[in-house]
Amino acid sequence: ANGVHPGTGFFQIGNSAFKPEFRNQADLGGTFSSKVLNIGASLFANHINNYIINSRLQDANGSDILSEIGGQEYPTYQFQQGKVLLYGLEGNIDLHIIKNLHFENSASLIYGNNESFKGAARNNDNRYIPQMPPFRLVSELRYDLLENSNLFSKTFLKLQLQYTATQNRVYSYDDTETATKGYSLINLGFGTSLKDRNGSNIV
C-alpha cells in the first residue's frame, strides 16, 4: 500500500518487513439440551504474534505527518505489527416456553489487549486493540404459526431486541479511535414458506 485509501480518506503506507502471524489459541465450551432448554457457552483466549495494526504517523512534536497528493494533504497511516491477546466468550440460551413459543438469547464479548507496549510506554491510550467490537446481546421472542396448514409452512412472528454496549476500550493512541456510544434496536419480523400440492416449499 502506498497511496490514498478511497474508503477512509487517509494516506496508507504498507510495510515490506512484515512477518507471518503466528498464534496460540485455547477454547473451552459446553452445551446442555433438554425439551424446554438449550444452553451453550464457550470461552477462548488467543495470543498472536505479528498482529497487524494500523498506526497513525506523527512527527517529534506530536503533529500529524501529512502526505500531499494532487494538491491535497492527507493524514498518513502505516501498518505495524505487534503482540496482542484476544479473549472473550460467547453464549446462547434457547427457552421453549410452550410448544410454539421460543425465547432465544445470544451474547458475545471480546477483549483485545495490545502487548506491543511495555513498561512506562504502556498507558490507557495504547493498551487496547483498534476495531474491537463491544459487548452485544440479541434477545428474540418467536411464535410459530399454521403448523397444520396445507399451503403455508415455517410461518412465524418474532419480536427482537439487539443491544450493543458502549465501547470505551479503544485504541486512542495518536487519536486513532474514540469511544463509541451504545445503542439498542427493536425489530419486528414475519416469515413463511408457500407449499405446492406435493408439500414441497416453492417460495
Side-chain angles (χ1 to χ4, degrees), residues 5-189:
H5 191 289
T8 57
F10 55 71
F11 194 93
Q12 184 69 66
I13 301 175
N15 195 325
S16 60
F18 270 0
K19 299 177 182 179
E21 285 188 354
F22 181 82
R23 64 183 64 200
N24 295 305
Q25 179 163 324
D27 298 273
L28 176 65
T31 60
F32 171 80
S33 181
S34 70
K35 291 183 178 180
V36 296
L37 183 65
N38 294 318
I39 300 176
S42 61
L43 305 172
F44 72 91
N46 194 346
H47 191 267
I48 308 174
N49 290 317
N50 302 323
Y51 183 86
I52 297 174
I53 299 174
N54 205 17
S55 181
R56 191 171 187 165
L57 299 184
Q58 295 183 324
D59 60 23
N61 298 322
S63 300
D64 288 343
I65 294 178
L66 302 178
S67 298
E68 183 176 346
I69 297 292
Q72 185 172 349
E73 293 182 332
Y74 298 90
T76 306
Y77 288 72
Q78 185 172 25
F79 290 117
Q80 308 290 342
Q81 286 188 304
K83 294 182 179 181
V84 303
L85 174 65
L86 305 179
Y87 59 99
L89 60 89
E90 295 179 342
N92 66 278
I93 299 175
D94 184 5
L95 180 63
H96 302 271
I97 301 174
I98 58 177
K99 179 181 178 181
N100 292 7
L101 185 62
H102 305 267
F103 185 44
E104 300 178 359
N105 301 270
S106 62
S108 61
L109 176 65
I110 181 171
Y111 286 152
N113 289 346
N114 191 344
E115 298 182 348
S116 303
F117 298 91
K118 301 292 185 180
R122 182 177 174 87
N123 54 51
N124 288 332
D125 292 337
N126 60 30
R127 66 185 305 160
Y128 304 120
I129 302 172
Q131 299 181 343
M132 284 292 100
F135 171 77
R136 189 166 186 264
L137 170 69
V138 179
S139 187
E140 179 179 294
L141 193 64
R142 190 183 81 248
Y143 188 76
D144 298 326
L145 304 168
L146 306 176
E147 288 189 343
N148 298 321
S149 173
N150 294 324
L151 180 61
F152 300 101
S153 69
K154 301 178 182 177
T155 305
F156 68 87
L157 289 169
K158 71 176 182 179
L159 171 66
Q160 185 185 76
L161 168 67
Q162 294 183 1
Y163 169 72
T164 301
T166 297
Q167 179 59 290
N168 291 315
R169 299 169 65 92
V170 298
Y171 185 77
S172 56
Y173 188 70
D174 296 337
D175 296 324
T176 299
E177 283 188 325
T178 59
T180 303
K181 291 184 179 180
Y183 62 91
S184 297
L185 299 175
I186 296 177
N187 304 313
L188 296 174

